[in-house]
Structure formats: structure tokens, C-alpha cells
Amino acid sequence: QYEIKNNITKSMFLSRALEKILADKEVKRSQHGQLRKACQVALGELLLFITSKYSDPYSEFVDGTVVPPRANYIEADKYVLPFELACQSKSPRIVSTSLDCLQVRRVLIHFTLLQLICILALLTAVTSPHIEIHEGTILLTVRTCYNIYLASRNLINQTTAKATLTQMLNVIFTRMENQALEAQEAEKERQRLQLRNPSPVSSNPSPVAQNPSPTLGRGSGSPRLGRACSEQNGPPSPSLSPPGASSTPSTPQDSSSINGQPEESKSEEEFDAESIQGSQTAARFSHILQKDAFLVFRSLCKLSMKPLADGPPDPKSHELRSKVVSLQLLLSVLQGAGPVFRTHEMFVNAIKQYLCVALSKNGVSSVPEVFELSLAIFLTLLSHFKVHLKMQIEVFFREIFLTILETSSSSFEHKWMVIQTLTRICADAQCVVDIYVNYDCDLNAANIFERLVNDLSKIAQGRSGQELGMTPLQELSLRKKGLECLVSILKCMVEWSRDMYVNPNLQANLGQERPAEGDSADGKLHENLSSRRDSVSSLDSTVSSGVQQSQPDHPEQYEVIKQQKEIIEHGIELFNKKPKRGLQYLQEQGMLGTTPEDIAQFLQQEERLDTTQVGEFLGENVKFNKEVMYCYVDRLDFCGKDFVSALRAFLEGFRLPGEAQKIDRLMEKFAARYLECNQGQTLFASADTAYVLAYSIIMLTTDLHSPQVKNKMTKEQYIKMNRGINDSKDLPEEYLSSIYDEIAGKKIALKESKEYSITPKSSKQNVASEKQRRLLYNMEMEQMAKTAKALMEAVSHAQAPFFSATHLEHVRPMFKLAWTPLLAAFSVGLQDCDDQDVASLCLEGIRCAIRITCIFNMQLERDAYIQALARFTLLTASSSITEMKQKNIDTIKTLIMVAHTDGNYLGNSWHEILRCISQLELAQLIGTGVKTRYISGVVRDQGGSIKGFPSGGEEFMPLGTLVGGPDKRQMAHIQESVGETSSQSVVVAVDRIFTGSTRLDGNAIVDFVRWLCAVSMDELASAHQPRMFSLQKIVEISYYNMNRIRLQWSRIWQVIGDHFNKVGCNPNEDVAIFAVDSLRQLSMKFLEKGELANFRFQKDFLRPFEHIMKKNRSPTIRDMVIRCVAQMVNSQAANIRSGWKNIFSVFHQAASDHDENIVDLAFQTTGHIVMNTFKQHFAAAIDSFQDAVKCLSEFVCNAAFPDTSMEAIRLIRHCAKYVSDRPQALREYTSDDMNVAPGDRVWVRGWFPILFELSCIINRCKLDVRTRGLTVMFEIMKSYGHTFEKHWWHDLFRIIFRIFDNMKLPEQQTEKTEWMTTTCNHALYAICDVFTQFYEPLSEVLLADIFAQLQWCVKQDNEQLARSGTNCLENLVILNGEKFSPDVWDVTCACMLDIFQTTSPHALLTCSSVNSNMLLSYSDLGVSDHRLFAGLLIKCVVQLELIQTIDNIVFYPATSKREDAENMAAAQRDALEQAEEGETEADQGMYRHLSSQHLFKLLDCLLESHRFAKDFNSNNEQRTALWRAGFKGKSKPNLLKQETSSLACSLRILFRMYSDTQLRDSWPDIQTRLLQVCSEALAYFITLTSESHREAWTSLLLLLLTRTLRLPDDKFKPHASCYYHHLCEMMQFDLIPELRAALRRFFLRIGSVFQIAAPEQGRAQPSPSS
């Protein structure tokens, strides 16, 4: 810039000379025309040059490099020609003017040439391999060049000098690096030789032993550092300062405090070699070349620290040019730094002590060029030296960069340059992760990463523009840069963790830029990364600074530290509001001890605590607080300090509380501690003195430095105030005076470095004008510079280990920390900015963020980003579709791309994506004008404008609510707006999501399908127009994914099948038809694959048909389902296995339908399956055989179609044939759900289902059908029973006995009666038939059950059932009795006995209503009485039936009746005794199979029954009462038949036994019994008063007399003698002739047997008795 001014000056000088020549009178003459013209041309050129330079003085500066001006290249003729012509003119004045001008030019040229020669000579000296110059000499050489650059006014010389300087530095530093490399090679060679020839002499360590391995490379791979000792070898030598500075150990700022001297002398001082003293430091360098480099580097650092003059910076000032060139040179040195420079302890210390401090000053420079250079240097340090500069980098970020970004008053230029730098930093993945690991995960460091992201987010949201007074364009460019940084950070995270990402499909057309982006930006990164990781792993030497290599990278440890840090920060935040709460929180979290010592240490060391709160806490008058305060003060060391310094040190850490008592306590303890530390002092007599003095100093500082105090205290007043405080004596006046002066000069204040806090500083003052803003900013910059410099100096000797991260897992906590500000930035960017670049950056950021959330399975964050993305597609929003802009179209494309590339990780986020895709299809329909009918739900309000409102209040389909149909222009506008959504690229990309579903992993595909089904349900739920887009897609992906492994496919189908269940039952028939048809197509394809035995995939697949059939009542759909299933059966029967179950289940549902077509169609197919398919594929259908029979049973039970019912029973009969013909197939079938023995499989899978269903048919159907069912059931049993196992019969009879189950009987009396008279009778007799047919296997297992069932029947309050029961019992015994064993007879007799006892109507004698003489009329009877009487009647009937049964069993049916008839006839013809010959007939019946015990048991039953009847018949009063109560109708109730028939049966049995020769031994007992029974009977008869009662006994008496008469004489005798008396009594009654004839015979026999009548007489009169 200075050079430009110089050139302008020269041009003006020439132009003035030319103007002077032109102004001369001589020139105006005609002979000087050529001269005049030449002067005018040259002057014109010069003026043009000058004006252009004044209007744009910096146009020559491009990127800080100077381009020589155009004027240099124009031919000199134009300028020289006027002077040449002037000299040739004859005018003395003109010649003199031109010669003057040329003379000055020559002197200038001469001086310039000298400078050039000097520069070249110096360069030769430095670069020559033969001349060696070092230390002071080399500094002098560099200084000379430097001074030429600053002093020269010639642009070429300046440029040459600067280039020479750069070259010199390059040579100096390269030589140093090469020497180290050669030394290392030599050392290696020496070691190799030593290994070959080992020598006993120990070799001296190599001078390069300290040098690190040059294999570190030039990349940014710095070795990871372990925990180092906090200070290595003490601080570096103080001798590094220039001798002219102070004698105290130099701090770098000392050298920059020289202002008044000329520039040259200042630079001389900086290039002073003597500033490194002898051996102590020089010993640290292994070679003189290293020392040369060090000296030059340090000098440059010091030069760059020179302060600029006050006021606005002057570009041509020496100070500024010196600063700029030194910074440029430093930058070139650092950029070309080799391994020695990067790792040598001295250079690292130089960077820390000089360069970093210099940067802390220049980094806040208001001169853009200086600021930009500082940033460039910082970038280089960050990439090459960060491993050594952990704390320095933190200061840069915390105090400078981020503060500039956060401060509202900072200028756009500064912000822009900082953000440019950050763009570079954020593009390096290693750097970004390292920042997080080293600062955010370090308890003692600031949260740089978090703060950086937050600041960038605010800038990206455009939240800083209003305060700055930026132009909108500047604000936009800043926003873009902010977004660019955020996107870079995310890209770094993606790049860092990419090894964990699995892309389901690598070819994504929609966003082709993705791979390219990876190639370009991330390609370099990857190289760096790999080399970085390699260098870390291959490091074989520790860094010379003594810092150890670190342990491996464990992300868990860092996460723990980060959590602890968050706890501490939260605790500090609480403390700063309320100290006790903060301490309590930290103690609860285990981050702080509970003892006063722990808390005191915490208060002292934690710099982020609010000093006021610390002071308040320490001053509290609570015992614990006091203890803490004592510990706090005791931790301070005041040894050797003067009193004021000690007080300053004491009050550095906290702000004194305002309350006097609190100050008092603090000062008291301070005084005690001061004396404790300084016990040798003689000034203070006691601690009281120190205490009062301390208090007075506090008062003094307040008085002197508080603006509220108007009248300041004088020194005299102060001295006076402190009179007599030293044990009643005074302190020396000089001492108090010095204290006063010191306090007046510098107030007691807090430490400056403690000003930073956890939360970043933000100054929010509203700046009124640009000037005010600049002023404020300059003040802030100054403050920043001071703070940064102080901090830099504080950390210049500290060693902090820097970890180089390698683990992928760091990205998770990083993202957790940053995701909200990132999302805010991208959302705001998309929402309120239509700039295409902003939108694409936001979308790219969101895409990267989603990738990270996917990789690390962060569900909440992933859903948030995807929802944001979905929201900006405008497809699911409620805003008008007409608002769709390019950014919304791009958002749609991004969303589709995310679905395509990250599908494996999307989980529940598929919902949002698929909803958008669904709405996209709708938008496409609208856009292409295909379906304007979707644009509905719109009304016009009174004003005529169109208002959209969601119809049906549904949330899902806002697109349909957006525009009015009638407005064609609006329609066209919408179609144009949405047209882009129908572009080929979008359509193809959407399709690719569905076709690509095959590449999703097992879990992802299930999520995908689940949400696709959910979206489909939403589409179909639309009130005005259901859509089937997603349903079609479900069908498509089912096709695509059908070839997945079965395990995955069954999970997918679980979801899809359930969806089809719902859709198939949709009230809209079109939808349901589509669903069923799709199911059919899918099923046909699925069935083609076939299935192995014991699998259940088909069953699961076909279940929706079943569900639809069950739930959907629409005849159309039901008919369609039946047809679909029928088609499957016809075409795929051979492949169906477990699917048969579903098929029969569908037909089972159809079988109960009332629609004839459906029933017929289903029955035809079922019949076809049973008759034909089973024949060919029976083995495959065994699993479903039961279902087939059940299905047929359902057809049978459909009462509406009796023909079908009969045909179905026939088919069941046919099924039985399959079981009979193919038992082997059933035995061999293994099923996973059955734990059945192979032998029983035929029963469980074959017979049982058939017989069970038939029993169900019998229980459910009407008479004709159930009769047919019963017939078939027993027919099957009779036909195939021979193949049944014994235990099968047991199960079978349990089924059969269900027929009698009372619970199954209909309640209506008529039907019940019909049931009893038909089915039960039929069944009971059929059971007996089966039992008889299969007596052998059944008797063992089932006889007891059958008896129990018969007993149950007899005990029921149903006369018909009771009769049937007794009849069946009779039949059973008569038909099988011959095969009965004695045991069986025992059981049989016990059964009869039990029946007798349980059916005996005892209540007739004990009826309560009767006993209490409550004589009721029949109409007054309660329900219970009716039931009681009905039950009693049935019991009476059963008793009679049983008596008859016993009679029939013992003697066969009709035998007794026949005998009675014969007896009557014999009596009539008076031939009673002649029947003895026919006695053999009496051998029929079961008598001969019964033992005497069994017969006696039966006799007991009969006689018990007889006695009961006799008692009842005799109880006239009870009978009358019952009759009056309404029991048994017109006449009094009686049990005559029971009374007589039971006795008759007993007598028959007894007489039969009495005549049985096999029982000869028992005859005496039998005779006794017989005599007793007969005599009791005759005695009872005599007592009868009723004529009708006596008549009832006729046949009984006839039987008794006839049987007695037929006894042989020896047996007759006892009988006759026993009955004689009773028979005589009988004579008094009016008996029928037959009975009289019998008596007559009896008495005649008595006469002959007892020989009391003449035999002649007896024989002489036979005729009258006949």
C-alpha cells in the first residue's frame, strides 16, 4: 500500500515537470508542436493513472500480495520522449526543467540498485553451502533484509526483500531438519555396527538422542500425550530475555514496551543473539543449527508483538508493516515446520511463551490483515502443534474466537474471518473430535465444542444480524457460513463413525452428490484419518519433552468424566445462586467431600464460583461455615509476604461480604494466620494489631476507590485513625504512609483471570450508532486482549496432556450434546429463508444428523430430525399446498434419500417418511391433474374468498383440504406448484424405496412394514375418499420380500396379515375386494413354494381369509373369499399343507351362512376336497382332517339346507372309510403339538374327530338329521369297532354319553319329550347293541360306566328316560348275562340294589305338607309341590319297571305273565298240580347264571319294595291327605301293583330255588324264608278290607297256592301246616271261582298228605272240584 502511494508521488512529480514545460511561453510556438503534443500525451497518461489510484487505492492488493502496477509495463518512450525533445529545443528554460527532473530520477534509481545488490549478497551468504554463519551473524543477516523491506520505498525491492526473507528462513529451518535427519541416520548406522561388533566400552549418548523420530511425518498426526508432570524441569531459563530488559525473569511483553526509538534500532534489539546466555540453555540444543532457528523464530515472535501507534492504523506505517511481515514469516515457518521444530522441547516452549502470547495480542487486532494472519497462524498451530498447546488452544477459543462470535458489537469483518477459520477447523474430523475429547471431557477445561456449536447455531439462525447493523446480504453470507460450519461438523462425525454404518443399497440416484461428496471432501479427510491413526499406533519414541504416551482411547471413561463435569457445572450454578444447595448437590453426587477441609479446598481451587457467594458463605455465623472459613484461611501461605500483599492474596479469591460482623470474623482469622506464618516479625505486638490494621486497610480501599465517597480520606487522617493499635503504641508512620500510597495507587481487587464463567459472556447492549458500536468493540477487544494475554502467560509453562481420539464411539456423546442447537439452526434455516444455498445446507445437515442418529441408534433424536424434515416437505402440514417452493421439493427428495440410504436404522421414523410418501402420491395426482376429486372439503365464505378446512376433522389428509374446485386459475397454479413432485427422478426414487425393501435387514423390514400398514389404515380411514396407494405398496413389498428366510418372512406377515384382516373387513366394498384379491394373488404365489411337514407358514399366511370370513358380513366379500379359496384348492392342492386348516376354517364359517349360494359353493369345494383331494393327498391333509370333519359337521347343523345336511353326513361316513383304509398314514404322521403315542394317532386324528362331531350333530340337529347322525355313528362303531383299542372305547363312550347330558337337552317340554322318546331310546338301545357286539373288549373297561349311565338315566325326573334305562339294563343283562363272571354279576346286582334304593318313593310316607295336615287344594299348590309329586310318580313307575326288569332278567320276559295265565287256566280246569312236568321251561332266563347270594340280594330288593308298598297302602290317612293335596288325580293314591308284583317275583324266585337240586344244601334256609314270606303275605291278605285291594291279590294267591301244590309231599307238609290257619280265614271272603278251586285243591292235598282224609273219598270225588 505504501508502494502505491510512492508510485503516485513519483507520477505527480513527473506530471508537475510536464505541466511546467507546457506552461512555458516558448512551447506555444509552432516549431515546438511535436514537443507540445508529446507532453500532452504523457501528461494525460499520468493523470489517468493518478485518478484511478486515488479512486481505488487497494485495487492492486489481492489476498495480501502486491502486484506491481500497470504503469511499470508501459513503454518508457511515452515518458522519456517529452524530455528528449525538450533537451533538443533551443529554449534554456525548457532544457533546465527537463534536466532537473532527469537528475532526481537517476539518484533514486542508483539507491534502489544498491538495496537490491545488498539483498542478493545476504541471500548468497545464508544459502551458500561453503560459508557457515550462525547465531548473531545469521540474526544480523535476517535483520538487514528485514530493515531493507521496511525502509525501501521501491516496490520491487520490498518484494525482493520479503521473498529473500522467506527463502532465508526456509533455508535455516530446512538445514536444521536435514541435520537432525542425517544425525539420526548416522546413529542408526552406528548402532547397527555396534550390534555386529559389540565393544565393552560404553558409547556416549548420541547428540541427537533427544530428537524425536522424524517418522512422525508432516501430517497432523501428533503423538498422543499421557499425563505429564505439571512442570517439566522447572520453568525455562530466564536467560531467554534480551539483556536490555529488566533483570527479573523476563516476560515476553517487556520487550515490546519500547515505543519512542526509531524502527531500525527496535528491530536490532529483537535480532540480538546475545540474549541466549551460554551453556545453560545452549546445552538444550543438540546442534548449532537448532539454536539459529530458535533465535530467528523468537525474534519474529517478539517483532509481531510490537504495539501499533494510537489512533486509526496507518497502512504505510513501519509498525504495521513490521507486524504484518513478521506474522507472514511466522506463518511460513510454521507451515513448513518439520519434525524437529514440531517436537523439540525448546521450540515448543518458544511457541508457548512467545508465539501464543503474541497471538493473544494480534488475535484481537482491529486491523483485518493482522487479524487474518493471526487466524492463519492459529490454524497452523492447531493442525501441527495442538498436542503441546492444549491450554493455549483453549484460551484462543474461549477468550477470542467464541467471544468475537458471541459479542454483539464485534464487526462483520471480524466475525466473517473467525467463521472462515472455523470452517477450516470444522472440516477436519480428527480436530473436531479432539476438541470435544480434550476440552468438553476435561473437568478443568471449558466446554469448547458445546459453546462452538451453540454459537454457530445462533449465527446460522440469523440471530445476530439485528444488533450488528449488518446489511441483509452480509447477514445471509454469515448465516451460510455458520450453516456450512455446522454441516462440516456433522460430516466429520459421519466420517468418523462411518465404519459402523451399513448402507443397504449403495446406488442412490436421487442424491448423486453423496458419493461424490465422500470422494472430494471426505477423501482427503480419510487419508488424514488413516495416517493419523497409523502414526498414533506406530509411535515408537516418546516425545522429547518428557510427556508420556497415553493409554488407549476409552470412550466410556470420557463419558464418565463428561457426566462428572456436567454435575460439577450444575453444582457451581446452584452454588452461585444458593451456596448451601450447590454444596449439598455436589456432595449427594459424590463429587465433593463433607469435611470443612474438602469444602475449603473446593472454594479455593474452583475459579468458576461467584466470588460474592463465596464471601457470603465464608462469613456466615454458623459453626460449620466458620470451620470451613478457618480451613480456607489456613490453606493460604503468607510466609515472607508484607502485610498488604498478604491481604491482597487473601482477598483475591472472594468478594468481602457487606455485613460488618462477617468482615470482622474474616479479618480476625486473617490476622491470626498472618502472624502464624510470620512468627519472626517484630512489627506487630499481637494478632490484634494485624486485625485492626487489616480492617483499616479495607476501610481505606473503600474510601479511596468508591465513587460514592465524596470526601476522600487523607494520609494524615489515615495515620491518625491507626494511632495506638499496636498494643497501645503506634505503628511506624512511614509504614502506614507506604500502606496509604500503595492502596491509593492500586486498590485491592479480585484476580483478573477469574472473570470467565461457565456460561459464555454475551454483551447485549443496544448500540445506538455505528461509531458507538466501534468504540464499544474496541474497548471489548482491549479487555479480551488483556485477559487472553494474562491467561496465555499463566499457562505458558503448564503441561497438559492432549489426547488424540481414535474411537468411533465418541460421536454419540458429541451428538447428544449438539443435536438440539443443530436442529434449531436447520429448522429455522428451512423455515424462514428461501435462499437455495441455505436450504441445501440445512437439508445436508439434517441428512448427516439422521445418519449419526441411525448409526448410534438414538431414537428420540432421529425421530426429531425426521419429523422436522417431514414438516418441511409441507406434505403433512396443514398449510396450503400452493405454498410449495423449491426448498420443499428438495426436502421431499432428501427425505426419500434418507429412506433409501438409512432404511436399516429408521425404526419408528418410517411412519413420518411413509406418511409423506403417501401424501406425495396424492400431490402427484393433483399436480398431474389426474384426480381433482381429492381436492375437496372447501367452502366459500360470504366474502366469496375460498376457505379450506379439514373435512371430517381428520388429521391425515390435509392436501385434500386446500383449494376450491371451481377456480380454474388456482387449480392451474397448484398443478404447476406441485408438478415438480411428479418429476421422473422423484417417482423413481420413491419406487426404489419399495423395491429396495428387500435389502433391509430383518428388524428394519418389520418396522417398515408396520408403519406402511399404519399409513395405509390412515389412507383408508379417510371419510370422503379412501385411497389404496399404501395398500398397493404393501402388496408389492410382499411380492418382493416373499423370498426372505422364513423366520423374517413370518414376522413380516404377522404385520401384513393383521392389516389384511382389518382391510378385508373395511365397510367400503371396493377396498375389501382389492384386499381379498391381493390376498388371493399373494397366496397363490406363496403356495407355489410348497411347505415341508410340521411347518405352519401357510397356516399363518392364509389366516386373513379366515378372519375376513368371520368378521365381514357382506355377501359379496364372503362369496369372493369362498371363490378365492376354491381357486387355491383347485390349482394348488398338491402344495397345500398346513393351509388346509385355514381353508376348512373358511368353509366352516360359510357352512353356517344363510345365503344358499355361499353354502352351496363352499359345500361343493368341501365335497371335492373330501372325495377327490383326500384320495390323492390324504397324508398332507392329516393335520387338518379334524377341521374337515368339523366343517362337514357345521354343514350338517345348518338347518336351512336339509339336503346339504344329509349329504354332509354321508361325507363324514366317507371320511371314516379313509381312516379305516389308511391307518398307517395316521400312525406315521408326526405333529409338533401332539404328545400322542404312535398307536393312538389313528384314534386321536381319525376316529375321535368323526365320532365326536357326529355326537355334536346328534345334540344340535333336528329329529331327522340327528337320527341319521345317530344311525351313522353307531354304524361306524359296529363296522369298524373291531379295530378299536380298549381305551379308545372308553373315550368313545364318554362322547356317546354326552347324548344324555341333561345340560344339552332343550328346555321346552315338548321337544324334551320328543328327544326322550326318539334319540335317547335309539341311543340307549344302540349302546346295548354295540356293547353286546363288542362285549369282550368293552366289559372290562366300560361295564361300570354303562351301569353308571343307566343308573343316571333311571334317576332322572323323566319317566320315558327312566323306563328306557331299566329296559336297556334288562336287555344288556339278558343278552350278555351268559358271559358274565361272578364279579360282573356282583356289580350288576349292586347296580340294581342301588337303583331300588335311590328310586324308592320314601317321601310318600314322610311328605311334610301332609304330616303337618296342611290340606291344600290342587290349585293352591306351589311349584315345588308339583315338582315333588311329579318326581314321586316317576319313582313309583321306576320301582314297577325295576320289579319287572328283575323278573325278566331271572326268567326272561313274558315268562311270568304266561305262568299267571297258565295258573289261571289250570285253576279253571282244576289241573293245578299237573304243570310239574313243564318245569323244565322254567330253566330259561338268567336264573342258572346267578348264584344264591345274587338271588338273595335281588329278593331283598323285591321284598323291601313290597314292604314299602304294603306300608303305604295300609296308611289310609296319608293316602287321603295326599289325594286331597292333589297327588294322583281322581282316586286315592295306592301302590297295589308294586305291592303284588314285587311279592310275585319274590315267590317265583324262592319257589324256583326251592325246587333247584343244585341248591339242595340251601333248601332249609330257602324253606324258612319262603314260609315266612308266604305266611306274612297270607296274614296281610286276611286283614284287607277293600274289595278292590283283595282282587289285586288274586293272581298272587293263585301263584302261591299253585306253586305250593306242586311241591312234593315232604316239602308240602311244612307249608300246609304253616298256612292252614290263614287259608281257613280266607274262606270267609268272597273269592273268585279259580281261587276257590285252588283252595279246594290245597285242602284236599292237606288231607292226603297228612292222611286225615280217606284216600278213597279223596279219589271218589274228583269231579266237583273241577
Side-chain angles (χ1 to χ4, degrees), residues 1288-1441:
W1288 298 1
W1289 282 108
H1290 192 267
D1291 292 347
L1292 174 55
F1293 270 85
R1294 276 167 59 203
I1295 298 172
I1296 296 167
F1297 292 149
R1298 285 177 70 231
I1299 296 167
F1300 305 100
D1301 192 340
N1302 212 18
M1303 300 306 287
K1304 293 280 186 288
L1305 303 179
E1307 282 306 310
Q1308 294 79 7
Q1309 202 56 43
T1310 50
E1311 279 189 31
K1312 203 166 193 177
T1313 313
E1314 181 201 50
W1315 176 272
M1316 291 300 170
T1317 49
T1318 56
T1319 308
C1320 277
N1321 274 349
H1322 187 159
L1324 276 174
Y1325 291 116
I1327 286 170
C1328 292
D1329 288 353
V1330 169
F1331 190 83
T1332 306
Q1333 185 178 343
F1334 301 107
Y1335 176 79
E1336 290 304 326
L1338 293 186
S1339 58
E1340 290 177 39
V1341 280
L1342 278 170
L1343 188 65
D1345 287 347
I1346 288 178
F1347 280 155
Q1349 189 64 43
L1350 290 171
Q1351 271 175 279
W1352 180 85
C1353 288
V1354 172
K1355 288 176 196 170
Q1356 296 312 297
D1357 289 346
N1358 185 300
E1359 188 176 337
Q1360 181 62 49
L1361 191 55
R1363 284 178 190 279
S1364 300
T1366 51
N1367 290 347
C1368 284
L1369 182 61
E1370 180 184 313
N1371 290 349
L1372 197 68
V1373 178
I1374 290 170
L1375 291 169
N1376 300 296
E1378 293 175 2
K1379 304 168 195 165
F1380 281 9
S1381 65
D1383 292 343
V1384 175
W1385 277 115
D1386 281 345
V1387 174
T1388 310
C1389 292
C1391 173
M1392 289 184 192
L1393 184 63
D1394 190 46
I1395 292 172
F1396 258 115
Q1397 286 167 353
T1398 50
T1399 57
S1400 181
H1402 294 296
L1404 285 173
L1405 290 171
T1406 60
C1407 190
S1408 59
S1409 60
V1410 176
N1411 287 349
S1412 57
N1413 295 320
M1414 290 168 65
L1415 304 176
L1416 305 165
S1417 70
Y1418 188 70
S1419 59
D1420 295 338
L1421 282 174
V1423 178
S1424 59
D1425 290 333
H1426 278 306
R1427 201 170 281 149
L1428 174 69
F1429 288 167
L1432 287 170
L1433 271 176
I1434 292 167
K1435 285 187 171 179
C1436 296
V1437 170
V1438 171
Q1439 287 284 312
L1440 276 177
E1441 286 290 325

Side-chain angles (χ1 to χ4, degrees), residues 1640-1641 1643-1645 1647-1648 1651-1665:
R1640 175 179 159 274
R1641 274 282 174 200
F1643 283 119
L1644 286 171
R1645 178 90 189 272
S1648 69
Q1651 300 170 355
I1652 56 171
E1656 305 88 41
Q1657 289 173 337
R1659 264 186 240 105
Q1661 293 175 325
S1663 53
S1665 70

Side-chain angles (χ1 to χ4, degrees), residues 373-576:
L373 278 167
S374 304
L375 292 177
I377 290 172
F378 173 73
L379 263 182
T380 315
L381 287 178
L382 190 63
S383 72
H384 294 352
F385 299 92
K386 64 182 171 195
V387 78
H388 307 291
L389 303 177
K390 177 174 174 177
M391 296 166 99
Q392 286 77 3
I393 290 168
E394 181 188 355
V395 173
F396 275 120
F397 271 114
R398 191 181 71 210
E399 299 301 329
I400 299 175
F401 294 169
L402 299 180
T403 311
I404 288 173
L405 286 186
E406 288 160 9
T407 309
S408 55
S409 58
S410 57
S411 68
F412 167 74
E413 288 78 13
H414 275 82
K415 272 195 164 72
W416 178 254
M417 283 189 268
V418 168
I419 212 160
Q420 286 274 34
T421 308
L422 290 176
T423 314
R424 300 269 301 280
I425 293 170
C426 295
D428 180 353
Q430 180 76 48
C431 195
V432 171
V433 180
D434 282 352
I435 286 174
Y436 169 75
V437 168
N438 285 286
Y439 300 108
D440 293 61
C441 295
D442 182 339
L443 293 177
N444 302 314
N447 292 326
I448 304 269
F449 177 74
E450 185 179 358
R451 208 170 131 190
L452 174 66
V453 172
N454 285 327
D455 291 348
L456 288 171
S457 173
K458 282 177 194 160
I459 286 172
Q461 290 172 58
R463 279 159 58 183
S464 50
Q466 301 76 20
E467 303 160 353
L468 272 170
M470 281 192 245
T471 64
L473 195 64
Q474 285 178 329
E475 191 200 340
L476 182 64
S477 57
L478 203 59
R479 275 186 82 169
K480 281 185 195 171
K481 270 291 168 195
L483 280 169
E484 215 175 287
C485 287
L486 292 176
V487 173
S488 286
I489 289 173
L490 281 170
K491 278 185 181 172
C492 289
M493 290 193 204
V494 171
E495 164 65 26
W496 191 263
S497 54
R498 69 176 176 185
D499 293 347
M500 294 171 77
Y501 166 69
V502 181
N503 187 351
N505 27 29
L506 293 160
Q507 61 286 6
N509 252 356
L510 189 66
Q512 267 286 283
E513 73 274 9
R514 178 90 198 136
E517 177 189 285
D519 296 345
S520 61
D522 301 347
K524 294 195 287 287
L525 253 179
H526 177 54
E527 284 166 32
N528 287 354
L529 257 180
S530 57
S531 70
R532 190 171 296 129
R533 290 171 190 172
D534 293 347
S535 70
V536 166
S537 55
S538 67
L539 255 185
D540 53 358
S541 66
T542 52
V543 178
S544 61
S545 62
V547 179
Q548 295 303 305
Q549 254 184 279
S550 76
Q551 71 279 22
D553 183 4
H554 293 303
E556 306 79 27
Q557 289 177 4
Y558 288 111
E559 280 201 61
V560 170
I561 294 170
K562 181 67 185 156
Q563 283 165 1
Q564 289 176 348
K565 188 174 184 182
E566 281 166 8
I567 291 168
I568 292 170
E569 285 172 353
H570 182 60
I572 291 169
E573 219 169 290
L574 288 174
F575 182 94
N576 291 345

Side-chain angles (χ1 to χ4, degrees), residues 304-320:
S304 69
M305 277 195 279
K306 297 280 186 196
L308 297 176
D310 294 339
D314 174 12
K316 65 180 179 183
S317 73
H318 275 235
E319 291 97 331
L320 183 54

Side-chain angles (χ1 to χ4, degrees), residues 1090-1096 1137-1138 1179-1180 1229-1232:
E1091 185 180 65
L1092 294 170
N1094 287 330
F1095 281 97
R1096 295 281 174 278
R1137 290 281 184 283
S1138 62
Y1229 179 78
T1230 53
S1231 164
D1232 50 17

